[in-house]
Amino acid sequence: MSVRDPLPDLLVAVPVVILACQAGAQLFRRLGQPPVIGEITLGIVLGPSLLGWVSPAAQAWLFPESVLPYIGAFGNIGLLAFMFLVGLELDLGALRGHRGTAVSVSQASIVLPLVLGSLLAVGMFGRFAPEGVGRWPFVLFIAVSMSITAFPVLARVLTDRGLCGTRIGSLAMACAAVDDVTAWCLLAAVVAVSTSGSAVEALVTAAGAAVFLAVMAGVLRPLLARWAVRAGRWADAVVLVVLFSGLCLSALATDRIGVHALFGAFVFGLVTPRGSAVVERCTARLRAFCVPVLLPLFFVSTGLHTDVSLLAGDPVQWLWAGAVLVVAVAGKWGGSTAGARLAGQSWRDAMAIGALMNCRGLTELVVLNLGLELGVIGPDLFTMLVLMALVTTALTSPALSWIRREKPRPARPPGTGAGAGAGAGAGAGAGAGGPGADTGTSAGGPGAAAPGTGTARSGTARSGTGEPAAAVPGTAGAAGAGGPGAAGSGTASTAGTAAEVLAPSSVR
């Protein structure tokens, strides 16, 4: 009997998923929510929670068994690319000036969720732990899943609300950076414990991971730095191939070690040099394809494993789901707020930092899918934790508005804000660039009094951030009083700024 060719079914499923997730992202962006909320929601809608419940035949037609392995494989490739981008965009330089506060807040925001999550997991073990799973792997996984912060989503929220360059925004980014690295290290330890049959195997896995990190930081990072200097002479296509191959091989290495492929892609992003124009162009191209095209397949794969009907018929299940949500919010928000207060922040700023650190987003989904894949949690607890991730992420923007008493602003589509520069009109005097405006232009400031009438030059600014643009000095003319410079139009460049790199359109 001939095997049915899955390609026609795949050519139907892939565009449906991509278009649906993009529509969900745009809808929720207009509602002032991070786009990932819409993508997660649409992934759940296309699964058994809604489509499979309303019309099982429609779900079976859209996602036949023959295409599920391919959807999962393509989604995982997109996920590896996303983890590489997260590592690349994780700027530990944000710690400058906030090191003490960042460490205090991040550790408090991890320790309290770990403690509360462990207590919750002890109570849930008998009811929710899959058969054959040990108590320690289950408790450790639940504890770590409570301590996650979605660094990329947090950066996106800050950028959309114009807080990325502020003191509170910089502090939140620094806290999230420390939190992200710590949480991934803890998760690597949990994976090692879960996949090892004995303490000796766990130690071997941990030693292999330590050697991998040492090689990546001590050997590969300097080599990549030297390569990036010469990469400008190569075609962009070659650089893109090198980067994509590197993330795949790094993922393969950690998969063979036993700490999952995601960690390899993340670490490769951490050691990839920043500041190289050709590397930034190539990573932007990788992001432009993998994130909007491949990553939605991961969302629908998550949605196909999320079945709210598992909770619908049992009120006790909903009580446990509520307990998961309460512990997650109390641990993360409460711990972050307490840490910020102990570090000397005002109650208002401490609460704002807590709300931001409570954002979980796609990072939590990555962790939960890992737990489901390892068999540490079952479908019912997986569904509860996915709903918790969805609710806590959706809470971030309105909670921040309430704390700061601001009206929620719809999230701007990336790249639409343009900076504006103003030329100065005097002699040899350089004019200061004005702040970026949505219209992309600003009037030139008056020239300083000096001999000669200056010619105003247009300032440039990077797209999507509205940064001040540096003005070009005017040219000297005949003697006389300097007049006002002409309006300089802001010119958007293709490269992202620090704020955009931290929170690009693709980042969840």
Side-chain angles (χ1 to χ4, degrees):
M1 184 178 69
S2 61
V3 179
R4 180 181 177 183
D5 183 10
L7 182 60
D9 295 327
L10 201 60
L11 294 178
V12 172
V14 170
V16 168
V17 170
I18 294 171
L19 292 172
C21 285
Q22 191 60 232
Q26 295 299 325
L27 173 62
F28 277 78
R29 178 183 281 127
R30 290 181 178 276
L31 297 176
Q33 290 286 353
V36 67
I37 297 293
E39 293 168 321
I40 296 173
T41 302
L42 263 294
I44 295 174
V45 165
L46 292 174
S49 297
L50 185 61
L51 181 61
W53 176 66
V54 173
S55 177
Q59 184 189 338
W61 174 81
L62 184 59
F63 302 114
E65 291 291 333
S66 60
V67 307
L68 295 182
Y70 297 96
I71 288 177
F74 288 143
N76 283 330
I77 293 294
L79 186 58
L80 289 176
F82 172 78
M83 291 306 300
F84 163 73
L85 293 170
V86 170
L88 181 67
E89 293 156 2
L90 186 59
D91 182 15
L92 297 180
L95 293 175
R96 297 188 190 97
H98 304 291
R99 189 180 304 274
T101 304
V103 172
S104 171
V105 173
S106 62
Q107 298 313 309
S109 72
I110 287 179
V111 171
L112 187 58
L114 284 177
V115 172
L116 295 180
S118 297
L119 294 175
L120 177 67
V122 169
M124 301 179 80
F125 179 76
R127 183 181 182 98
F128 293 103
E131 186 177 355
V133 174
R135 183 181 297 270
W136 273 111
F138 180 82
V139 170
L140 289 174
F141 180 82
I142 297 301
V144 171
S145 69
M146 294 290 159
S147 66
I148 296 297
T149 291
F151 175 83
V153 180
L154 182 148
R156 179 73 216 182
V157 170
L158 290 173
T159 300
D160 288 337
R161 304 182 72 91
L163 297 175
C164 208
T166 64
R167 183 185 62 83
I168 190 72
S170 299
L171 180 57
M173 290 299 298
C175 296
V178 176
D179 190 285
D180 216 38
V181 173
T182 306
W184 282 110
C185 291
L186 290 173
L187 188 60
V190 173
V191 173
V193 171
S194 302
T195 56
S196 302
S198 65
V200 174
E201 289 183 10
L203 289 174
V204 170
T205 300
V211 171
F212 173 79
L213 288 173
V215 171
M216 295 293 282
V219 178
L220 186 60
R221 185 172 185 173
L223 290 176
L224 285 174
R226 289 196 290 270
W227 167 77
V229 174
R230 298 190 296 271
R233 299 195 295 266
W234 297 2
D236 286 5
V238 175
V239 177
L240 181 59
V241 167
V242 170
L243 292 175
F244 187 76
S245 300
L247 78 89
C248 289
L249 292 175
S250 299
L252 176 63
T254 51
D255 182 69
R256 290 291 182 263
I257 290 171
V259 290
H260 206 275
L262 294 174
F263 299 102
F266 175 73
V267 173
F268 185 72
L270 283 176
V271 302
T272 298
R274 299 161 180 79
S276 169
V278 65
V279 170
E280 289 183 0
R281 286 198 306 271
C282 291
T283 54
R285 291 179 180 179
L286 182 66
R287 178 187 301 117
F289 174 74
C290 289
V291 175
V293 175
L294 296 182
L295 200 56
L297 300 177
F298 169 76
F299 288 118
V300 79
S301 180
T302 300
L304 291 173
H305 291 111
T306 304
D307 190 356
V308 179
S309 66
L310 294 175
L311 314 180
D314 188 354
V316 176
Q317 295 278 61
W318 283 109
L319 290 177
W320 279 112
V324 167
L325 179 61
V326 169
V327 168
V329 174
K332 199 67 181 178
W333 197 339
S336 303
T337 301
R341 280 292 293 157
L342 291 175
Q345 301 297 312
S346 66
W347 271 112
R348 185 169 180 252
D349 287 348
M351 289 288 289
I353 291 172
L356 289 166
M357 296 293 284
N358 191 47
C359 179
R360 287 175 170 85
L362 175 57
T363 308
E364 182 75 17
L365 292 193
V366 173
V367 173
L368 298 181
N369 276 274
L370 184 56
L372 188 65
E373 179 185 330
L374 295 173
V376 179
I377 58 176
D380 47 359
L381 184 53
F382 176 81
T383 299
M384 293 180 190
L385 292 169
V386 168
L387 294 177
M388 178 272 292
L390 190 64
V391 173
T392 54
T393 306
L395 277 175
T396 304
S397 188
L400 199 60
S401 297
W402 179 77
I403 293 167
R404 297 177 63 84
R405 300 298 191 272
E406 296 171 348
K407 184 179 178 180
R409 294 188 300 176
R412 281 187 310 181
T416 57
D438 288 340
T439 57
T441 60
S442 65
T453 301
T455 303
R457 303 292 184 86
S458 61
T460 60
R462 298 185 185 272
S463 63
T465 60
E467 284 192 88
V472 181
T475 58
S489 60
T491 311
S493 70
T494 56
T497 63
E500 193 173 30
V501 167
L502 286 171
S505 62
S506 63
V507 166
R508 283 22 197 199

